[in-house]
Amino acid sequence: MRKIAKFGGSSVANAEQIKKVCNIILNDNDIRAVVVSAPGKRFDSDIKVTDLLIELCKEYRNDDERYKKTINTILDRYDEIISDLNIDKSLLDTYRNILEKNLTEIEDHFYMENAIKSCGEDFNARLIAEYIKSLDIKCRYLSPKEAGIIVEHTLNKPIILEETYDNLNKFKNEDVLFIVPGFYAYSPQGKILTFKRGGSDLTGSILARGLDCDIYENYTDMNYIYAANPKLIDKPRPITNITYREMRELSYNGFEIFQEDAVTPLLSKSIKIQVKNTNDPNNGGTIIETKRNNVDENPIIGISNVGDFLAFNITEYLMNQETGYIKKLLDIFEYQHIPVEHIPTGIDSLSILIRKKYITSEFQMQNIINTIKSNFNYDHFDITDNISAIAIVGEGLKNIMVETLYKISKVFYEEKIKLESIIHGASNNSIFVFVNKKDEENAINALYNELFK
Ligand code: ASP
């Protein structure tokens, strides 16, 4: 059995947590490589190192002298860990040099910011490797550069170049435990590129595939992935098995436990992911795999809130007889680099649903409105703000569609919640309901009680 273990920010936030991580690694000879995040929050009001690094870039770019203080705050986090683990303090000088070099020598802001953001995981990997070595374990820090993790940068997501897997495969039979910083890779031109937030998960997936692993253990601070967000629902049902497709629908829909991009490298190889808790490694665990055997008992696997949406609603008499109507409308959003996620349609009406976060300025919004106004002879056009989408997901949904739609209607009727829209996903394994933001919590609670209890 070959495994990759990835530890998230809360698992490597301080020396005490890092010691737990080492215990896990040392008790499992199947683990070939370990991917680590940057130190996360130690307590609720704490700041993640990645957020401090982002702050540092902003201050430096704005000639705000407070950046010097931020460097010290960042280094203090590592100083504390290094002191508590009793390892060589000279690492701190290396860290300071790397930060200062990145700030002063990389002229392009985009690349400077990417390089600075990568330091959170890079510094943590270096010190964890040192600590493990101090325990007389054969181990080494492996940078994404040496490992050959190469990505092409696109606006929304990194494209992992195939050669990455060939490069990694060369390390497959080395008899040493690799400690790899997560969250970043290199461009073909040798520049550091960080992934989306939570992107250490993606590094874990890339390594699991490149090193031919059977299991990717993803350690966080929860025993399971749950059927609903535990922040919203009291003691939601734990999930023992979930498919990639379901996970994709749920993580895309606001489940924060596993980053959405990270599923892709694993899909074609059927590598299983096991989500585990660093603080309780011998209990629980959710397995994510291609097919699950308990679809009949648990046809619906989870419910989650998607986030905030905007709807552009257009009505035009005889719309259905016009060719290319939707395309013309979609072009406007494409031009603005805004992904369109849902398009509910009627004969003479349609709505374009996009995530609110993609509208980055009032100017951009006005631009879209003006383009629609000048290009369409509509009868009516308006925008609905404050829409929340809730996804109900499960491989077995297709077998209980009518029953589920009945239950959803019952909840909305009894709770007197206005249903803005409902979409039955084309893949038959999801239903999306759209409500006003103010009804979101109530709707999730009531739906959870109806569908899961
Ligand atoms: N440190 C990065 C973040 O806070 C990446 C990660 O933890 O996976 O998003």
Side-chain angles (χ1 to χ4, degrees), residues 33 140-150 161-172 174 178-181 184-186 203 206-207 210-211:
R140 82 173 170 98
Y141 157 82
L142 178 65
S143 74
K145 184 161 204 160
E146 189 189 347
I149 305 178
I150 304 174
L161 300 193
E162 245 345 272
E163 63 194 88
T164 294
Y165 301 115
D166 300 334
N167 295 339
L168 279 169
N169 218 265
K170 294 183 197 128
F171 294 90
K172 185 179 146 184
E174 256 190 59
F178 295 111
I179 310 294
V180 185
Y184 72 97
Y186 280 79
T203 310
I206 296 171
L207 254 81
L211 296 177

Side-chain angles (χ1 to χ4, degrees), residues 363-375 381:
F363 175 74
Q364 187 187 25
M365 184 70 170
Q366 273 314 318
N367 218 320
I368 296 171
I369 294 172
N370 292 342
T371 320
I372 292 176
K373 284 186 173 168
S374 54
N375 283 285
F381 166 53

Side-chain angles (χ1 to χ4, degrees), residues 35 51 100 162 216 223 234 298 309 364 377 396-397 435:
V35 174
D51 289 311
E100 286 173 354
E162 245 345 272
Y216 169 9
N223 280 36
D234 186 35
N298 295 325
F309 276 72
Q364 187 187 25
N377 275 325
L397 204 49
V435 297

Side-chain angles (χ1 to χ4, degrees), residues 132-149:
I132 297 179
K133 270 194 261 172
S134 78
L135 304 175
D136 263 348
I137 309 292
K138 233 167 120 190
C139 123
R140 82 173 170 98
Y141 157 82
L142 178 65
S143 74
K145 184 161 204 160
E146 189 189 347
I149 305 178

Side-chain angles (χ1 to χ4, degrees), residues 327-393:
K327 181 183 176 298
K328 219 165 87 182
L329 204 52
L330 289 180
D331 282 348
I332 299 173
F333 292 90
E334 185 187 348
Y335 184 74
Q336 298 285 342
H337 299 293
I338 295 174
V340 171
E341 298 196 17
H342 300 282
I343 318 176
T345 55
I347 292 184
D348 288 338
S349 62
L350 64 83
S351 296
I352 298 276
L353 281 152
I354 61 159
R355 279 175 192 267
K356 220 169 158 174
K357 68 174 184 193
Y358 291 123
I359 302 281
T360 50
S361 66
E362 189 46 44
F363 175 74
Q364 187 187 25
M365 184 70 170
Q366 273 314 318
N367 218 320
I368 296 171
I369 294 172
N370 292 342
T371 320
I372 292 176
K373 284 186 173 168
S374 54
N375 283 285
F376 291 87
N377 275 325
Y378 53 76
D379 302 317
H380 183 82
F381 166 53
D382 67 25
I383 296 171
T384 323
D385 198 351
N386 290 325
I387 298 179
S388 251
I390 298 166
I392 297 153
V393 176

Side-chain angles (χ1 to χ4, degrees), residues 6 8-9 37-38 48 50-51 121 182-183 196-201:
K6 179 257 160 182
S37 284
K48 293 178 180 182
T50 305
D51 289 311
E121 345 295 286
F183 189 42
K196 270 198 275 195
R197 294 302 300 265
S200 298
D201 284 347

